[in-house]
Amino acid sequence: PAELKEELPILVVAWVGPLEHNKARLILAVAAVAALATSWFLVRVLVLLLIGLWGFLRTGLWVQIALLRGRPSDAARACARSGDYARAASLFQEAGDPLSAAEAFEKADQLSNAASAYERAGRPESATRLFVKLGNPVRGAEIQLKSEQWDKAAELFVQAGERSRAAEALEKGGQFVRAAKLLEQDNRHRASADMLAREVERLESRVRSGGSTAAVRDRSLEVAEAYVRADQPLSAADYYERAERFEEAAQQYLKADRKREAVDAYLAGGHRRDAIKLLKQMGEIESAARIAGELAEEIGQFDKAAKAWQKAGELGRASKAFEQAGDYLRAADAARDAGDDERCAELL
């Protein structure tokens, strides 16, 4: 028919092109015979079918030619154009193109293979996205760790219920406070306290460069309380002292049966009555009396101070205290007992 004579050459040239393959000649011959033997409608259907057949044959042909020439990437692109993404992905892998392979695997809905290929291609975000989609956030977190994306890794570990590994990721990123909170949630009190202690060390290093001492005290208090929960009294006492909470420090020292350190903590915090009481319990009467004498003198109780100095064996100071109390006779006696006859005579 006249219509076919006008359109068929255009179709044949468009789809066969310059290849001039024997198969193309065969298809053209069959089309010509069909055009003479059938109606226009059937011719159009037949031509479309033949065009589809040629497209299929042409794709396979191009793939085979590319492979024979040692060009798997060209073969992969031909497969991708035809929608055969699974085969394209395999060919891209063979060509050493993991990124294109990953994209093809994803289009083929082979997400596990796609995620692994993205990882090999150095695309951690895409790999992580797919592993999370596959219900494997731990693998995604491990990929983020390799990329030193500590926050993202920790988030995914928490999502997977692995708080300890999340804390390790945050620790590597220097986020000790957040790591400590996760460990506390996991009932790892000692590990949580140790992690907070590292934050104090960092703050103390900043103080040497002009940082805030108040920040050190506040964080030290948190560390001390954490060590209390962990039943580590000596460590708790140490950080209570750094926080200038000396009474609490003394109590922790007592819990650890470190009475001498407890006395020092009481004295550092100005809790001298508690120190005196503890020294008496320890049998250190003279030491207790010496502290009592200093305390009595400071509040103007010179008679009491003098007696305390006598108990402490410091008779010279006892004599001066009696003198300040207006008791010159006892002041003279104390001076005489101290071997200071000249002062004794003056007082009398």
Side-chain angles (χ1 to χ4, degrees):
E3 299 92 339
L4 182 61
K5 290 178 181 178
E6 294 177 2
E7 295 185 19
L8 187 58
I10 297 173
L11 293 173
V12 171
V13 169
W15 287 93
V16 174
L19 296 179
E20 298 181 358
H21 195 272
N22 290 333
K23 293 180 180 177
R25 296 194 188 96
L26 175 62
I27 292 170
L28 183 57
V30 173
V33 173
L36 297 173
T38 62
S39 67
W40 171 238
F41 174 76
L42 293 177
V43 169
R44 291 181 66 91
V45 172
L46 182 59
V47 168
L48 290 175
L49 290 173
L50 292 173
I51 289 171
L53 176 61
W54 171 245
F56 174 77
L57 292 173
R58 187 181 63 168
T59 298
L61 179 62
W62 277 121
V63 169
Q64 293 302 321
I65 291 174
L67 290 176
L68 287 173
R69 291 179 177 179
R71 297 177 181 177
S73 57
D74 291 344
R77 281 190 287 272
C79 289
R81 285 194 298 270
S82 69
D84 190 356
Y85 295 114
R87 189 180 181 193
S90 298
L91 290 170
F92 277 128
Q93 283 187 318
E94 183 180 337
D97 186 354
L99 179 58
S100 297
E103 293 170 347
F105 274 130
E106 188 169 5
K107 289 178 181 178
D109 203 28
Q110 296 183 21
L111 300 186
S112 180
N113 290 333
S116 298
Y118 275 128
E119 184 179 3
R120 291 192 298 273
R123 296 296 180 90
E125 296 302 324
S126 297
T128 299
R129 170 177 58 82
L130 291 182
F131 278 123
V132 171
K133 188 174 181 180
L134 289 165
N136 191 356
V138 170
R139 181 71 182 279
E142 291 170 345
I143 292 172
Q144 294 299 313
L145 279 179
K146 293 178 182 177
S147 302
E148 297 185 357
Q149 297 296 317
W150 315 118
D151 284 347
K152 293 180 180 178
E155 180 182 346
L156 290 171
F157 277 130
V158 170
Q159 182 178 331
E162 296 196 17
R163 285 190 289 264
S164 294
R165 296 191 69 182
E168 291 175 6
L170 292 172
E171 180 185 5
K172 290 178 180 178
Q175 300 188 48
F176 303 122
V177 177
R178 289 181 60 194
K181 289 180 179 178
L182 287 175
L183 292 169
E184 187 71 24
Q185 292 173 10
D186 223 17
N187 294 320
R188 297 179 60 190
H189 303 300
R190 174 64 185 272
S192 175
D194 290 341
M195 192 68 69
L196 278 176
R198 294 189 62 183
E199 177 67 13
V200 171
E201 291 174 4
R202 181 165 62 182
L203 292 173
E204 287 177 336
S205 67
R206 291 178 181 175
V207 168
R208 290 190 286 272
S209 303
S212 171
T213 57
V216 174
R217 289 196 301 272
D218 293 343
R219 192 65 72 186
S220 293
L221 180 58
E222 291 183 32
V223 176
E225 292 170 346
Y227 276 124
V228 170
R229 291 192 294 272
D231 195 26
Q232 298 292 318
L234 285 177
S235 296
D238 177 25
Y239 281 93
Y240 271 130
E241 286 186 308
R242 297 189 194 195
E244 299 181 6
R245 301 289 287 268
F246 298 104
E247 186 175 9
E248 289 92 333
Q251 292 170 357
Q252 291 300 311
Y253 279 128
L254 288 174
K255 187 176 180 181
D257 198 27
R258 304 287 284 269
K259 294 180 181 179
R260 173 53 58 186
E261 288 88 341
V263 169
D264 293 339
Y266 277 134
L267 292 175
H271 303 282
R272 285 181 287 187
R273 296 186 186 278
D274 292 318
I276 292 168
K277 182 179 178 181
L278 181 56
L279 284 168
K280 288 180 178 179
Q281 292 176 1
M282 295 166 62
E284 299 188 16
I285 305 302
E286 290 184 359
S287 297
R290 189 173 294 108
I291 296 170
E294 292 175 350
L295 180 59
E297 280 186 351
E298 288 178 7
I299 61 179
Q301 295 181 354
F302 297 108
D303 185 67
K304 188 175 181 179
K307 294 176 181 178
W309 290 126
Q310 283 181 317
K311 289 182 180 179
E314 298 196 22
L315 300 177
R317 296 187 70 174
S319 176
K320 291 179 182 179
F322 277 128
E323 183 182 1
Q324 288 177 301
D327 191 342
Y328 298 104
L329 180 59
R330 297 178 71 179
D333 291 340
R336 185 185 65 246
D337 293 341
D340 192 347
D341 294 332
E342 184 178 349
R343 175 175 171 73
C344 177
E346 289 176 359
L347 290 168
L348 291 174

